[in-house]
Amino acid sequence: METYKYEKIRNVVLLGHGGSGKTTLVEAIAYTTGITNRQGKVEEGNTISDYDKEENKRLFSISTTVVPIIWEDTKINLLDTPGYFDFVGEVEEALLACDAAIIVVSAKSGVEIGTMKAWDYCEKYKLPRMFFVTDMDDDNASFRAVVERLEELYGKKIAPFHSPIRENEKFVGFVNVVKMAGRRFTKLSDYVECEIPQYSMEYVTKYRESLLDAVAESSEELMEKYFEGEEFTPQEISTALRSSVIDCSIVPVLMGSGLYARGTRMILEAIEKYFPSPNKGVLTGENTKTEENFAADYDANKPMTAYVFKTIADPFIGKFSLIKICSGVLKSDSVIYNADKDTEEKLSRLYVLRGKEQIEVKELYAGDIGAIGKLSNTVTGDTLSTKATPIAYARPKLSVPYAYQRFRTKNKGDDDKVSQALQKLMEEDLTLRVVNDKENRQTLLYGIGEQQLEIVVSKMLQRYKVDIEIMKPRVPYRETIRKKVRVQGKYKKQSGGHGQYGDVHIEFEPSGDMELPYVFEEKVFGGVVPKNFFPAVEKGIAESVLKGPLAGYPVVGLKATLVDGSYHPVDSSEMAFKMATIQAFKQGVMDATPILLEPIVTLKVLVPDKFTGDIMGDLNRRRGRVLGMNPLHNGKQEIVADIPLSETFGYATDLRSMTGGIGEYSYEFARYEQAPSDVQQKVIEESEKYANSEEVG
């Protein structure tokens, strides 16, 4: 593949709702430009983008894939992203590497939640964008309905560049609204000019007027010309549209059929004509040696820097670090320095990936996207540069995972293999996290949603031949006491020779401080328990509070006071006094009205106004207490509630179901509160079952 400089590079991310046709569109573009000689289909598992076995099995994208396209003299790096919300981390990584976006909308499904989320991403990252309305070949397709809905949502920014031509209910061509010319398809995206049908003129005229209004508003000179009734020249229209698309004041709407590769030529022309080259962006890093700002700005004349935006760690195609060159030129024999890890490595090969295909290149210029294989110390978010000019860019802030499951290895002896497999999967997906919860003797797998976690299990078996099972996690409850009691613990053992003897009288009462497991004091008079055994008594308390007698959870808020006891000058020992204390603890806690405390989290739910009633009703059913509502922009509300942590399990799935996928949530630990008696009884019963299963296991 040839080397391209920034003015001839376009980095474009494809966004849209799951199943809207992004992968099919990429495949159609690849077929149109001659990369493939047969157009693959998602259903047949033979597309360039979806090469992973899990993607082929499930028939949707799981990972972002880079597909470079050469259109005339321009290199277009298309990044095909997943549409399902569990894989938002893949989308966020792609957004960091791109300079513009195409939002794909199905003409038969219309504007969906994923369409609106895609728009919000573009707003957040300030990306120029255009819509591509696909599935125009479908009998139920309605371009007009899509445009009207987009105008309803986003107002005058929406600018249809096309209007469909149909004959006998078939999609046969389109009207180019910019040039006011009819186009009839011949083969694939090729077309011949034709008359604009009379039945199309009403909407074509409307679209044209909106377009000219937008052109007029792009400059005072054009506005003056517009008011005087003068015609704009084609060059004036083209220049004004390009600047307006780049500054996001106009969002073009194009159309076609991914399935029949119609409209692909037009979208390629629009990308080259209206989308910015990388050097239009501003990018600043920090020189870690001088602590000065480094303005990279995709300038090829500056020292080489590159940003790792994604990692592939597939056992079948190997490990690759996907990079965007931020400045300078990266050559295949370069020595690169990782400022984040303070390591240096010499490259042997440099690649451009097209799906899973690896195309070797000699160099990559600033603004381009490529890949480096087998970098041992480099992970997503790292910066590569030269040691002479060590640069670090800000690390990505991806969505935080809140959904979680407990997991365990099915086959004994596979623990190390499972750990290694999970490490590789977490290198690929930064929204995965493993937490070792020693307190509850469980390992937790965190992700964005339950579907993502299910796919992790499947990938581990398919890729790494290790089997894990996921299940509902144990909630980190606490135990405490409500009244003061005094108990005796006596440990006496005689088995020939020296015996064991320890005798303690301890008062147990609430300490009032739930942050501390216990407070220990001694009020012994007359030396009934020698001082040298006090540490053993406290050790018995310290060990006992780790696993309370009520349901096996840690004990908090306890005050233990040693008030009396007795000892034997020969048989008493530290171990005997520790054992006597443990006995006293078990009896004392059970006598002191023990209760279960449950963790309470502060939950924040972000939803449009129309869903607030459903959300609050659901929170009440989950024993939540709504603390307030904060109105936000775009007709959204932030609902804040305190809710038991146990009730958040499965909330990601339920919230999506209630809101069609548009709701978002986050939570953080707030405090512990006494659990209701029915909850307490249920937890005690479950703990007994859990303890029995652990013993059997």
Side-chain angles (χ1 to χ4, degrees):
M1 185 175 284
E2 292 181 30
T3 299
Y4 289 81
K5 297 187 178 178
Y6 65 75
E7 63 269 17
K8 291 297 180 182
I9 295 172
R10 303 289 185 273
N11 298 312
V12 182
V13 60
L14 271 71
L15 305 171
H17 196 83
S20 60
K22 299 181 293 298
T23 299
T24 301
L25 177 59
V26 171
E27 195 68 21
I29 291 172
Y31 182 49
T32 300
T33 54
I35 288 172
T36 59
N37 54 21
R38 179 176 179 269
Q39 186 174 343
K41 294 182 178 179
V42 172
E43 297 78 14
E44 296 174 6
N46 58 358
T47 62
I48 297 172
S49 292
D50 290 354
Y51 58 84
D52 186 273
K53 287 186 178 179
E54 285 296 321
E55 293 175 318
N56 294 337
K57 181 172 77 175
R58 297 169 190 273
L59 303 181
F60 59 77
S61 299
I62 293 170
S63 301
T64 291
T65 310
V66 183
V67 181
I69 302 289
I70 308 304
W71 172 249
E72 296 179 345
D73 61 347
T74 300
K75 181 184 181 187
I76 301 171
N77 291 313
L78 295 175
L79 277 75
D80 182 17
T81 65
Y84 291 102
F85 307 132
D86 279 24
F87 311 104
V88 63
E90 295 284 333
V91 177
E92 291 168 330
E93 288 174 349
L95 288 163
L96 291 167
C98 288
D99 311 300
I102 293 171
I103 303 175
V104 180
V105 183
S106 168
K108 58 183 178 182
S109 304
V111 175
E112 299 173 270
I113 297 299
T115 313
M116 293 182 270
K117 277 184 173 282
W119 178 278
D120 291 342
Y121 290 139
C122 293
E123 290 287 285
K124 179 180 177 181
Y125 290 89
K126 298 180 174 59
L127 287 181
R129 72 217 70 156
M130 64 176 69
F131 288 97
F132 184 80
V133 181
T134 188
D135 294 333
M136 288 298 297
D137 57 280
D138 192 272
D139 291 343
N140 298 314
S142 176
F143 181 76
R144 186 189 310 167
V146 171
V147 169
E148 287 175 355
R149 178 60 176 145
L150 291 174
E151 288 175 338
E152 182 185 322
L153 287 168
Y154 308 119
K156 291 184 177 180
K157 285 187 175 185
I158 301 303
F161 279 21
H162 294 164
S163 185
I165 296 177
R166 289 184 178 276
E167 288 181 2
N168 301 319
E169 304 298 319
K170 300 295 182 185
F171 176 54
V172 297
F174 66 100
V175 177
N176 184 324
V177 178
V178 179
K179 295 183 177 179
M180 285 300 285
R183 317 293 198 199
R184 179 183 293 275
F185 292 120
T186 53
K187 181 184 177 184
L188 301 180
S189 271
D190 294 340
Y191 58 78
V192 293
E193 292 202 16
C194 66
E195 292 292 321
I196 300 175
Q198 193 59 40
Y199 65 79
S200 298
M201 286 306 297
E202 179 187 350
Y203 282 93
V204 169
T205 303
K206 178 189 171 189
Y207 297 157
R208 176 73 175 178
E209 287 175 358
S210 298
L211 204 65
L212 294 179
D213 284 347
V215 168
E217 289 178 7
S218 65
S219 74
E220 290 183 12
E221 183 184 338
L222 292 178
M223 181 67 79
E224 190 175 322
K225 192 172 183 179
Y226 186 58
F227 281 138
E228 290 176 0
E230 294 183 45
E231 291 281 325
F232 296 137
T233 67
Q235 183 60 43
E236 285 173 334
I237 292 174
S238 179
T239 302
L241 289 178
R242 176 173 166 78
S243 62
S244 297
V245 171
I246 289 174
D247 70 15
C248 302
S249 57
I250 281 184
V251 178
V253 185
L254 283 66
M255 70 169 70
S257 165
L259 188 62
Y260 293 102
R262 289 183 167 176
T264 49
R265 176 177 166 185
M266 285 68 78
I267 202 166
L268 289 167
E269 288 173 349
I271 288 171
E272 189 276 329
K273 191 171 186 179
Y274 298 115
F275 276 169
S277 54
N279 68 311
K280 297 294 182 184
V282 175
L283 181 64
T284 304
E286 181 188 352
N287 187 315
T288 59
K289 187 189 293 183
T290 65
E291 297 185 353
E292 295 175 344
N293 283 345
F294 175 80
D297 301 340
Y298 305 104
D299 187 339
N301 298 312
K302 292 183 178 178
M304 192 288 299
T305 64
Y307 171 76
V308 180
F309 70 89
K310 177 175 170 55
T311 300
I312 298 173
D314 190 304
F316 302 108
I317 70 170
K319 180 183 175 182
F320 286 94
S321 300
L322 272 62
I323 55 170
K324 184 177 185 182
I325 312 300
C326 303
S327 61
V329 181
L330 178 61
K331 298 181 182 294
S332 58
D333 60 352
S334 299
V335 176
I336 56 171
Y337 176 70
N338 185 330
D340 298 279
K341 302 291 189 300
D342 190 24
T343 56
E344 214 171 7
E345 293 186 65
K346 189 178 191 307
L347 303 190
S348 57
R349 288 184 176 86
L350 188 60
Y351 300 95
V352 165
L353 297 186
R354 180 178 283 143
K356 64 179 178 181
E357 182 188 1
Q358 302 151 28
I359 305 166
E360 201 168 332
V361 292
K362 291 184 178 179
E363 59 187 11
L364 291 170
Y365 271 74
D368 209 348
I369 287 173
I372 303 171
K374 299 177 182 177
L375 290 179
S376 54
N377 299 308
T378 299
V379 298
T380 301
D382 283 355
T383 303
L384 307 176
S385 58
T386 62
K387 198 161 189 178
T389 312
I391 304 299
Y393 295 111
R395 301 191 75 80
K397 291 182 180 178
L398 304 185
S399 293
V400 177
Y402 289 103
Y404 63 101
Q405 296 262 24
R406 174 186 170 222
F407 75 90
R408 64 183 174 194
T409 309
K410 279 190 178 180
N411 302 317
K412 288 185 177 180
D414 274 358
D415 288 347
D416 287 344
K417 289 181 182 177
V418 167
S419 178
Q420 291 169 14
L422 282 170
Q423 190 59 43
K424 287 185 171 68
L425 291 173
M426 286 190 291
E427 283 181 26
E428 283 193 302
D429 187 348
L430 297 189
T431 63
L432 285 178
R433 204 169 80 221
V434 173
V435 174
N436 185 11
D437 179 9
K438 292 181 181 178
E439 177 186 296
N440 292 291
R441 304 183 301 286
Q442 61 181 354
T443 312
L444 303 174
L445 181 61
Y446 279 80
I448 300 298
E450 290 174 23
Q451 186 179 52
Q452 179 193 19
L453 300 182
E454 178 193 324
I455 287 174
V456 167
V457 175
S458 185
K459 274 187 177 182
M460 290 181 71
L461 184 59
Q462 181 260 317
R463 282 188 183 184
Y464 303 105
K465 306 297 182 283
V466 289
D467 207 357
I468 65 171
E469 57 180 336
I470 55 177
M471 62 209 78
K472 191 172 181 178
R474 294 191 85 211
V475 176
Y477 293 102
R478 296 284 187 268
E479 297 178 22
T480 193
I481 58 174
R482 300 191 66 184
K483 72 176 186 181
K484 183 176 181 178
V485 296
R486 174 172 170 154
V487 294
Q488 178 185 14
K490 182 180 281 189
Y491 183 75
K492 188 176 181 182
K493 201 170 184 182
Q494 191 70 44
S495 56
H498 284 305
Q500 295 287 347
Y501 182 87
D503 176 29
V504 293
H505 294 243
I506 301 176
E507 287 181 350
F508 292 103
E509 61 187 310
S511 71
D513 186 354
M514 295 300 177
E515 297 295 316
L516 291 176
Y518 71 93
V519 175
F520 175 68
E521 289 184 3
E522 54 78 23
K523 294 181 179 176
V524 177
F525 298 98
V528 290
V529 177
K531 288 184 178 180
N532 57 306
F533 292 132
F534 292 170
V537 174
E538 183 171 2
K539 191 173 182 182
I541 299 292
E543 288 185 12
S544 297
V545 295
L546 298 176
K547 190 176 180 182
L550 186 63
Y553 290 98
V555 175
V556 295
L558 180 87
K559 182 178 180 182
T561 307
L562 177 64
V563 293
D564 202 353
S566 62
Y567 75 103
H568 189 280
V570 176
D571 292 347
S572 287
S573 66
E574 290 185 2
M575 194 270 284
F577 272 94
K578 187 180 87 167
M579 295 304 294
T581 303
I582 291 171
Q583 289 179 7
F585 177 89
K586 288 178 181 177
Q587 182 187 337
V589 169
M590 294 308 289
D591 289 349
T593 317
I595 58 169
L596 204 65
L597 301 173
E598 62 180 346
I600 305 296
V601 297
T602 299
L603 178 75
K604 294 181 179 179
V605 187
L606 192 66
V607 290
D609 282 336
K610 63 181 179 180
F611 295 115
T612 53
D614 292 341
I615 298 302
M616 288 196 284
D618 180 69
L619 290 174
N620 287 332
R621 284 191 293 275
R622 293 173 184 269
R623 298 190 289 123
R625 293 192 299 273
V626 175
L627 303 178
M629 290 173 54
N630 304 316
L632 303 174
H633 66 288
N634 297 335
K636 289 187 177 181
Q637 291 279 354
E638 181 188 61
I639 301 169
V640 183
D642 279 353
I643 184 172
L645 177 64
S646 60
E647 299 289 347
T648 65
F649 185 74
Y651 191 64
T653 302
D654 292 345
L655 179 62
R656 282 179 197 165
S657 177
M658 285 186 288
T659 65
I662 203 165
E664 299 174 14
Y665 78 104
S666 62
Y667 62 80
E668 59 182 16
F669 173 76
R671 65 190 172 279
Y672 275 91
E673 284 184 2
Q674 181 176 343
S677 56
D678 59 327
V679 172
Q680 180 167 304
Q681 187 58 41
K682 186 179 177 183
V683 171
I684 291 171
E685 290 171 3
E686 287 178 353
S687 295
E688 288 173 357
K689 290 179 186 176
Y690 176 78
N692 293 334
S693 68
E694 289 290 296
E695 286 174 14
V696 172

